[in-house]
Amino acid sequence: MSNKDYVIAPSILSADFARLGEDSKKVLDAGADWIHFDVMDNHYVPNLTIGPMVCKALRDYGIEAPIDTHLMVKPVDDLIQSFSEAGSSYITFHPEASDDIDKSIRLIKENNCKAGLVLNPESPVSLIRDSLDKVDMILLMSVNPGFGGQQFIESVLEKVSEVRSMIDKDNLNIRLEIDGGINLENISRAASAGADTFVAGSAIFNQKDYSEIINKMKASLGAI
Ligand code: DX5
Ligand code: ZN
């Protein structure tokens, strides 16, 4: 896979919320490809973050890059239309949080967004097997959802390889994203296992110079 197929999607969970538009623009200007937008509801996960109004505010501010909306909410369906109208590009959800997985995927697509399913570190691949031909992305969590800044769970790399084989076997056009604890040290291992889309929150936003860290991540990916 050539370097240009890789996507770096900084999670704005670790951005400066008092200057979210500015910080999002800054990370994109520094070479990031997408904005990863973590939605937590204090129900499916214990934390509470941001909703469609904030997504729309980023669009109104002038953010044009794809917004990758990661729903850690239950129920799922009620929020799909609002996030689509707010400007989301991708909407991903956790299958355990949906009453009807196919219906939620359909709803995302009917709202002109790309759809994806998310697996927690402990969730089996069997949860997504029947939906693979219907989604645009699979997101594999390499931390338990809820908070930024957690430590990468190394054993998830086996699942990355497994899902990569499933995607390649049927030649499916699906991005394989990894989210949680990604940093300069492990990004190339995630790519070697088969991931092509990399969420990184604290590893990017905790640096002073976003270009420097993003360039280093890209160089590390380019070396594979
Ligand atoms: C965790 C979120 C992640 C998280 C990533 O629930 O889904 O997107 O913010 O942050 P880091 O890269 O700091 O683990
Ligand atoms: Zn996320």
PDB file of all heavy atoms in Angstrom, residues 11-14 36 38 40 45 70 72 139 141 143-151 179-182 199-203, ligand 1:
ATOM      1  N   SER A  11      -7.921  12.964  16.848  1.00  0.00           N
ATOM      2  CA  SER A  11      -9.123  13.020  17.675  1.00  0.00           C
ATOM      3  C   SER A  11      -9.142  14.340  18.431  1.00  0.00           C
ATOM      4  O   SER A  11      -8.276  14.590  19.276  1.00  0.00           O
ATOM      5  CB  SER A  11      -9.132  11.863  18.677  1.00  0.00           C
ATOM      6  OG  SER A  11     -10.048  12.169  19.717  1.00  0.00           O
ATOM      7  N   ILE A  12     -10.168  15.148  18.161  1.00  0.00           N
ATOM      8  CA  ILE A  12     -10.217  16.468  18.802  1.00  0.00           C
ATOM      9  C   ILE A  12     -10.598  16.387  20.280  1.00  0.00           C
ATOM     10  O   ILE A  12     -10.667  17.407  20.954  1.00  0.00           O
ATOM     11  CB  ILE A  12     -11.152  17.451  18.047  1.00  0.00           C
ATOM     12  CG1 ILE A  12     -12.529  16.835  17.830  1.00  0.00           C
ATOM     13  CG2 ILE A  12     -10.508  17.896  16.738  1.00  0.00           C
ATOM     14  CD1 ILE A  12     -13.552  17.839  17.311  1.00  0.00           C
ATOM     15  N   LEU A  13     -10.806  15.159  20.767  1.00  0.00           N
ATOM     16  CA  LEU A  13     -11.016  14.988  22.202  1.00  0.00           C
ATOM     17  C   LEU A  13      -9.856  15.592  22.996  1.00  0.00           C
ATOM     18  O   LEU A  13     -10.033  16.046  24.123  1.00  0.00           O
ATOM     19  CB  LEU A  13     -11.125  13.487  22.495  1.00  0.00           C
ATOM     20  CG  LEU A  13     -11.701  13.044  23.825  1.00  0.00           C
ATOM     21  CD1 LEU A  13     -13.068  13.649  24.041  1.00  0.00           C
ATOM     22  CD2 LEU A  13     -11.780  11.529  23.886  1.00  0.00           C
ATOM     23  N   SER A  14      -8.669  15.586  22.412  1.00  0.00           N
ATOM     24  CA  SER A  14      -7.497  16.136  23.106  1.00  0.00           C
ATOM     25  C   SER A  14      -7.148  17.549  22.635  1.00  0.00           C
ATOM     26  O   SER A  14      -6.094  18.072  22.985  1.00  0.00           O
ATOM     27  CB  SER A  14      -6.286  15.223  22.904  1.00  0.00           C
ATOM     28  OG  SER A  14      -6.503  13.988  23.543  1.00  0.00           O
ATOM     29  N   HIS A  36     -11.292  13.477  13.629  1.00  0.00           N
ATOM     30  CA  HIS A  36     -12.021  12.415  14.326  1.00  0.00           C
ATOM     31  C   HIS A  36     -12.790  13.047  15.484  1.00  0.00           C
ATOM     32  O   HIS A  36     -12.218  13.729  16.329  1.00  0.00           O
ATOM     33  CB  HIS A  36     -11.031  11.362  14.830  1.00  0.00           C
ATOM     34  CG  HIS A  36     -11.680  10.182  15.485  1.00  0.00           C
ATOM     35  ND1 HIS A  36     -12.235   9.136  14.784  1.00  0.00           N
ATOM     36  CD2 HIS A  36     -11.866   9.888  16.794  1.00  0.00           C
ATOM     37  CE1 HIS A  36     -12.733   8.241  15.629  1.00  0.00           C
ATOM     38  NE2 HIS A  36     -12.526   8.683  16.862  1.00  0.00           N
ATOM     39  N   ASP A  38     -15.257  12.533  18.570  1.00  0.00           N
ATOM     40  CA  ASP A  38     -15.716  11.520  19.533  1.00  0.00           C
ATOM     41  C   ASP A  38     -16.959  11.989  20.290  1.00  0.00           C
ATOM     42  O   ASP A  38     -16.910  12.962  21.045  1.00  0.00           O
ATOM     43  CB  ASP A  38     -14.600  11.238  20.546  1.00  0.00           C
ATOM     44  CG  ASP A  38     -13.510  10.372  19.957  1.00  0.00           C
ATOM     45  OD1 ASP A  38     -13.836   9.317  19.382  1.00  0.00           O
ATOM     46  OD2 ASP A  38     -12.322  10.748  20.062  1.00  0.00           O
ATOM     47  N   MET A  40     -19.625  11.097  23.098  1.00  0.00           N
ATOM     48  CA  MET A  40     -19.857  10.233  24.274  1.00  0.00           C
ATOM     49  C   MET A  40     -21.058  10.752  25.049  1.00  0.00           C
ATOM     50  O   MET A  40     -21.226  11.971  25.194  1.00  0.00           O
ATOM     51  CB  MET A  40     -18.626  10.224  25.172  1.00  0.00           C
ATOM     52  CG  MET A  40     -17.348   9.831  24.430  1.00  0.00           C
ATOM     53  SD  MET A  40     -15.973   9.679  25.566  1.00  0.00           S
ATOM     54  CE  MET A  40     -14.612   9.474  24.418  1.00  0.00           C
ATOM     55  N   VAL A  45     -20.958   5.061  27.319  1.00  0.00           N
ATOM     56  CA  VAL A  45     -19.651   5.206  27.984  1.00  0.00           C
ATOM     57  C   VAL A  45     -19.815   6.231  29.109  1.00  0.00           C
ATOM     58  O   VAL A  45     -20.734   7.057  29.065  1.00  0.00           O
ATOM     59  CB  VAL A  45     -18.545   5.691  26.997  1.00  0.00           C
ATOM     60  CG1 VAL A  45     -18.167   4.608  26.010  1.00  0.00           C
ATOM     61  CG2 VAL A  45     -18.957   6.951  26.279  1.00  0.00           C
ATOM     62  N   HIS A  70     -17.467   9.432  15.533  1.00  0.00           N
ATOM     63  CA  HIS A  70     -17.444   8.153  16.245  1.00  0.00           C
ATOM     64  C   HIS A  70     -18.468   8.218  17.368  1.00  0.00           C
ATOM     65  O   HIS A  70     -18.245   8.871  18.385  1.00  0.00           O
ATOM     66  CB  HIS A  70     -16.005   7.939  16.784  1.00  0.00           C
ATOM     67  CG  HIS A  70     -15.837   6.739  17.642  1.00  0.00           C
ATOM     68  ND1 HIS A  70     -14.690   6.512  18.381  1.00  0.00           N
ATOM     69  CD2 HIS A  70     -16.647   5.678  17.886  1.00  0.00           C
ATOM     70  CE1 HIS A  70     -14.813   5.372  19.045  1.00  0.00           C
ATOM     71  NE2 HIS A  70     -15.991   4.857  18.771  1.00  0.00           N
ATOM     72  N   MET A  72     -20.248   7.008  20.420  1.00  0.00           N
ATOM     73  CA  MET A  72     -20.210   6.106  21.574  1.00  0.00           C
ATOM     74  C   MET A  72     -21.450   6.434  22.387  1.00  0.00           C
ATOM     75  O   MET A  72     -21.377   7.029  23.480  1.00  0.00           O
ATOM     76  CB  MET A  72     -18.916   6.333  22.376  1.00  0.00           C
ATOM     77  CG  MET A  72     -17.688   5.788  21.662  1.00  0.00           C
ATOM     78  SD  MET A  72     -16.135   6.491  22.252  1.00  0.00           S
ATOM     79  CE  MET A  72     -16.065   7.968  21.237  1.00  0.00           C
ATOM     80  N   LEU A 139     -13.872   0.229  12.366  1.00  0.00           N
ATOM     81  CA  LEU A 139     -13.001   0.892  13.346  1.00  0.00           C
ATOM     82  C   LEU A 139     -12.719  -0.091  14.472  1.00  0.00           C
ATOM     83  O   LEU A 139     -13.644  -0.603  15.109  1.00  0.00           O
ATOM     84  CB  LEU A 139     -13.703   2.155  13.868  1.00  0.00           C
ATOM     85  CG  LEU A 139     -13.154   2.843  15.110  1.00  0.00           C
ATOM     86  CD1 LEU A 139     -11.658   3.066  15.044  1.00  0.00           C
ATOM     87  CD2 LEU A 139     -13.846   4.175  15.310  1.00  0.00           C
ATOM     88  N   MET A 141     -11.143  -0.536  18.084  1.00  0.00           N
ATOM     89  CA  MET A 141     -10.673   0.213  19.252  1.00  0.00           C
ATOM     90  C   MET A 141      -9.467  -0.491  19.863  1.00  0.00           C
ATOM     91  O   MET A 141      -9.509  -1.699  20.133  1.00  0.00           O
ATOM     92  CB  MET A 141     -11.771   0.285  20.321  1.00  0.00           C
ATOM     93  CG  MET A 141     -13.011   1.081  19.954  1.00  0.00           C
ATOM     94  SD  MET A 141     -12.696   2.807  19.610  1.00  0.00           S
ATOM     95  CE  MET A 141     -11.977   3.378  21.156  1.00  0.00           C
ATOM     96  N   VAL A 143      -8.183   0.854  22.694  1.00  0.00           N
ATOM     97  CA  VAL A 143      -8.370   1.135  24.130  1.00  0.00           C
ATOM     98  C   VAL A 143      -9.863   0.929  24.378  1.00  0.00           C
ATOM     99  O   VAL A 143     -10.647   0.873  23.425  1.00  0.00           O
ATOM    100  CB  VAL A 143      -8.004   2.599  24.523  1.00  0.00           C
ATOM    101  CG1 VAL A 143      -6.530   2.895  24.257  1.00  0.00           C
ATOM    102  CG2 VAL A 143      -8.899   3.621  23.850  1.00  0.00           C
ATOM    103  N   ASN A 144     -10.248   0.843  25.649  1.00  0.00           N
ATOM    104  CA  ASN A 144     -11.679   0.809  25.925  1.00  0.00           C
ATOM    105  C   ASN A 144     -12.238   2.208  25.758  1.00  0.00           C
ATOM    106  O   ASN A 144     -11.645   3.179  26.247  1.00  0.00           O
ATOM    107  CB  ASN A 144     -11.935   0.261  27.328  1.00  0.00           C
ATOM    108  CG  ASN A 144     -11.690  -1.230  27.369  1.00  0.00           C
ATOM    109  OD1 ASN A 144     -12.298  -1.994  26.608  1.00  0.00           O
ATOM    110  ND2 ASN A 144     -10.765  -1.671  28.210  1.00  0.00           N
ATOM    111  N   PRO A 145     -13.376   2.340  25.044  1.00  0.00           N
ATOM    112  CA  PRO A 145     -13.861   3.674  24.724  1.00  0.00           C
ATOM    113  C   PRO A 145     -14.240   4.459  25.981  1.00  0.00           C
ATOM    114  O   PRO A 145     -14.661   3.886  26.973  1.00  0.00           O
ATOM    115  CB  PRO A 145     -15.094   3.406  23.854  1.00  0.00           C
ATOM    116  CG  PRO A 145     -15.517   2.025  24.168  1.00  0.00           C
ATOM    117  CD  PRO A 145     -14.269   1.284  24.537  1.00  0.00           C
ATOM    118  N   GLY A 146     -14.075   5.767  25.907  1.00  0.00           N
ATOM    119  CA  GLY A 146     -14.494   6.617  27.018  1.00  0.00           C
ATOM    120  C   GLY A 146     -13.542   7.778  27.275  1.00  0.00           C
ATOM    121  O   GLY A 146     -13.976   8.863  27.624  1.00  0.00           O
ATOM    122  N   PHE A 147     -12.254   7.550  27.099  1.00  0.00           N
ATOM    123  CA  PHE A 147     -11.287   8.591  27.443  1.00  0.00           C
ATOM    124  C   PHE A 147     -10.106   8.581  26.488  1.00  0.00           C
ATOM    125  O   PHE A 147      -9.716   7.526  25.989  1.00  0.00           O
ATOM    126  CB  PHE A 147     -10.777   8.386  28.880  1.00  0.00           C
ATOM    127  CG  PHE A 147     -11.885   8.449  29.891  1.00  0.00           C
ATOM    128  CD1 PHE A 147     -12.541   7.285  30.291  1.00  0.00           C
ATOM    129  CD2 PHE A 147     -12.314   9.668  30.398  1.00  0.00           C
ATOM    130  CE1 PHE A 147     -13.602   7.340  31.192  1.00  0.00           C
ATOM    131  CE2 PHE A 147     -13.373   9.734  31.300  1.00  0.00           C
ATOM    132  CZ  PHE A 147     -14.020   8.567  31.694  1.00  0.00           C
ATOM    133  N   GLY A 148      -9.553   9.768  26.260  1.00  0.00           N
ATOM    134  CA  GLY A 148      -8.304   9.872  25.518  1.00  0.00           C
ATOM    135  C   GLY A 148      -7.134   9.561  26.438  1.00  0.00           C
ATOM    136  O   GLY A 148      -7.303   9.436  27.662  1.00  0.00           O
ATOM    137  N   GLY A 149      -5.969   9.418  25.854  1.00  0.00           N
ATOM    138  CA  GLY A 149      -4.753   9.293  26.653  1.00  0.00           C
ATOM    139  C   GLY A 149      -4.531   7.953  27.320  1.00  0.00           C
ATOM    140  O   GLY A 149      -3.708   7.839  28.226  1.00  0.00           O
ATOM    141  N   GLN A 150      -5.249   6.909  26.899  1.00  0.00           N
ATOM    142  CA  GLN A 150      -5.037   5.592  27.500  1.00  0.00           C
ATOM    143  C   GLN A 150      -3.949   4.833  26.744  1.00  0.00           C
ATOM    144  O   GLN A 150      -3.569   5.179  25.638  1.00  0.00           O
ATOM    145  CB  GLN A 150      -6.331   4.767  27.443  1.00  0.00           C
ATOM    146  CG  GLN A 150      -7.522   5.387  28.122  1.00  0.00           C
ATOM    147  CD  GLN A 150      -8.740   4.470  28.028  1.00  0.00           C
ATOM    148  OE1 GLN A 150      -8.812   3.444  28.711  1.00  0.00           O
ATOM    149  NE2 GLN A 150      -9.690   4.833  27.177  1.00  0.00           N
ATOM    150  N   GLN A 151      -3.519   3.744  27.370  1.00  0.00           N
ATOM    151  CA  GLN A 151      -2.426   2.965  26.776  1.00  0.00           C
ATOM    152  C   GLN A 151      -2.929   1.986  25.717  1.00  0.00           C
ATOM    153  O   GLN A 151      -3.936   1.303  25.903  1.00  0.00           O
ATOM    154  CB  GLN A 151      -1.688   2.204  27.873  1.00  0.00           C
ATOM    155  CG  GLN A 151      -0.389   1.686  27.314  1.00  0.00           C
ATOM    156  CD  GLN A 151       0.456   0.991  28.352  1.00  0.00           C
ATOM    157  OE1 GLN A 151       0.173   1.043  29.550  1.00  0.00           O
ATOM    158  NE2 GLN A 151       1.490   0.327  27.895  1.00  0.00           N
ATOM    159  N   ASP A 179      -8.110   3.051  16.633  1.00  0.00           N
ATOM    160  CA  ASP A 179      -8.378   4.210  17.490  1.00  0.00           C
ATOM    161  C   ASP A 179      -8.048   3.883  18.944  1.00  0.00           C
ATOM    162  O   ASP A 179      -8.652   2.989  19.533  1.00  0.00           O
ATOM    163  CB  ASP A 179      -9.865   4.580  17.344  1.00  0.00           C
ATOM    164  CG  ASP A 179     -10.280   5.764  18.200  1.00  0.00           C
ATOM    165  OD1 ASP A 179      -9.409   6.440  18.774  1.00  0.00           O
ATOM    166  OD2 ASP A 179     -11.504   6.019  18.275  1.00  0.00           O
ATOM    167  N   GLY A 180      -7.104   4.630  19.507  1.00  0.00           N
ATOM    168  CA  GLY A 180      -6.800   4.508  20.931  1.00  0.00           C
ATOM    169  C   GLY A 180      -5.337   4.231  21.186  1.00  0.00           C
ATOM    170  O   GLY A 180      -4.804   3.200  20.781  1.00  0.00           O
ATOM    171  N   GLY A 181      -4.671   5.190  21.789  1.00  0.00           N
ATOM    172  CA  GLY A 181      -3.283   4.999  22.190  1.00  0.00           C
ATOM    173  C   GLY A 181      -2.301   4.943  21.028  1.00  0.00           C
ATOM    174  O   GLY A 181      -1.158   4.508  21.199  1.00  0.00           O
ATOM    175  N   ILE A 182      -2.728   5.382  19.837  1.00  0.00           N
ATOM    176  CA  ILE A 182      -1.809   5.373  18.682  1.00  0.00           C
ATOM    177  C   ILE A 182      -0.783   6.505  18.855  1.00  0.00           C
ATOM    178  O   ILE A 182      -1.151   7.644  19.183  1.00  0.00           O
ATOM    179  CB  ILE A 182      -2.601   5.544  17.360  1.00  0.00           C
ATOM    180  CG1 ILE A 182      -3.415   4.279  17.054  1.00  0.00           C
ATOM    181  CG2 ILE A 182      -1.667   5.887  16.189  1.00  0.00           C
ATOM    182  CD1 ILE A 182      -2.592   3.060  16.656  1.00  0.00           C
ATOM    183  N   VAL A 199      -6.378   7.025  14.075  1.00  0.00           N
ATOM    184  CA  VAL A 199      -6.830   8.073  14.973  1.00  0.00           C
ATOM    185  C   VAL A 199      -5.739   8.288  16.011  1.00  0.00           C
ATOM    186  O   VAL A 199      -5.201   7.324  16.546  1.00  0.00           O
ATOM    187  CB  VAL A 199      -8.143   7.660  15.683  1.00  0.00           C
ATOM    188  CG1 VAL A 199      -8.571   8.727  16.686  1.00  0.00           C
ATOM    189  CG2 VAL A 199      -9.239   7.392  14.665  1.00  0.00           C
ATOM    190  N   ALA A 200      -5.400   9.538  16.261  1.00  0.00           N
ATOM    191  CA  ALA A 200      -4.461   9.823  17.352  1.00  0.00           C
ATOM    192  C   ALA A 200      -4.891  11.131  17.993  1.00  0.00           C
ATOM    193  O   ALA A 200      -5.021  12.146  17.306  1.00  0.00           O
ATOM    194  CB  ALA A 200      -3.037   9.924  16.829  1.00  0.00           C
ATOM    195  N   GLY A 201      -5.166  11.080  19.284  1.00  0.00           N
ATOM    196  CA  GLY A 201      -5.585  12.270  20.008  1.00  0.00           C
ATOM    197  C   GLY A 201      -4.434  12.882  20.760  1.00  0.00           C
ATOM    198  O   GLY A 201      -3.781  13.834  20.310  1.00  0.00           O
ATOM    199  N   SER A 202      -4.130  12.303  21.925  1.00  0.00           N
ATOM    200  CA  SER A 202      -3.111  12.893  22.798  1.00  0.00           C
ATOM    201  C   SER A 202      -1.733  12.924  22.137  1.00  0.00           C
ATOM    202  O   SER A 202      -0.974  13.865  22.342  1.00  0.00           O
ATOM    203  CB  SER A 202      -3.057  12.141  24.131  1.00  0.00           C
ATOM    204  OG  SER A 202      -2.979  10.751  23.913  1.00  0.00           O
ATOM    205  N   ALA A 203      -1.424  11.915  21.309  1.00  0.00           N
ATOM    206  CA  ALA A 203      -0.088  11.871  20.696  1.00  0.00           C
ATOM    207  C   ALA A 203       0.151  13.076  19.793  1.00  0.00           C
ATOM    208  O   ALA A 203       1.289  13.492  19.603  1.00  0.00           O
ATOM    209  CB  ALA A 203       0.092  10.576  19.907  1.00  0.00           C
TER     210      ALA A 203
HETATM  211  C1  DX5 B   1     -11.634   6.893  23.005  1.00  0.00           C
HETATM  212  C2  DX5 B   1     -11.801   7.681  21.732  1.00  0.00           C
HETATM  213  C3  DX5 B   1     -10.520   7.932  21.015  1.00  0.00           C
HETATM  214  C4  DX5 B   1      -9.542   8.733  21.807  1.00  0.00           C
HETATM  215  C5  DX5 B   1      -8.186   8.666  21.178  1.00  0.00           C
HETATM  216  O1  DX5 B   1     -12.861   6.553  23.502  1.00  0.00           O
HETATM  217  O2  DX5 B   1     -12.641   6.982  20.835  1.00  0.00           O
HETATM  218  O3  DX5 B   1     -10.768   8.540  19.761  1.00  0.00           O
HETATM  219  O4  DX5 B   1      -9.898  10.068  21.941  1.00  0.00           O
HETATM  220  O5  DX5 B   1      -7.302   9.377  21.983  1.00  0.00           O
HETATM  221  P1  DX5 B   1      -5.827   8.864  22.238  1.00  0.00           P
HETATM  222  O6  DX5 B   1      -5.156   8.880  20.892  1.00  0.00           O
HETATM  223  O7  DX5 B   1      -5.277   9.858  23.187  1.00  0.00           O
HETATM  224  O8  DX5 B   1      -5.935   7.471  22.786  1.00  0.00           O
END
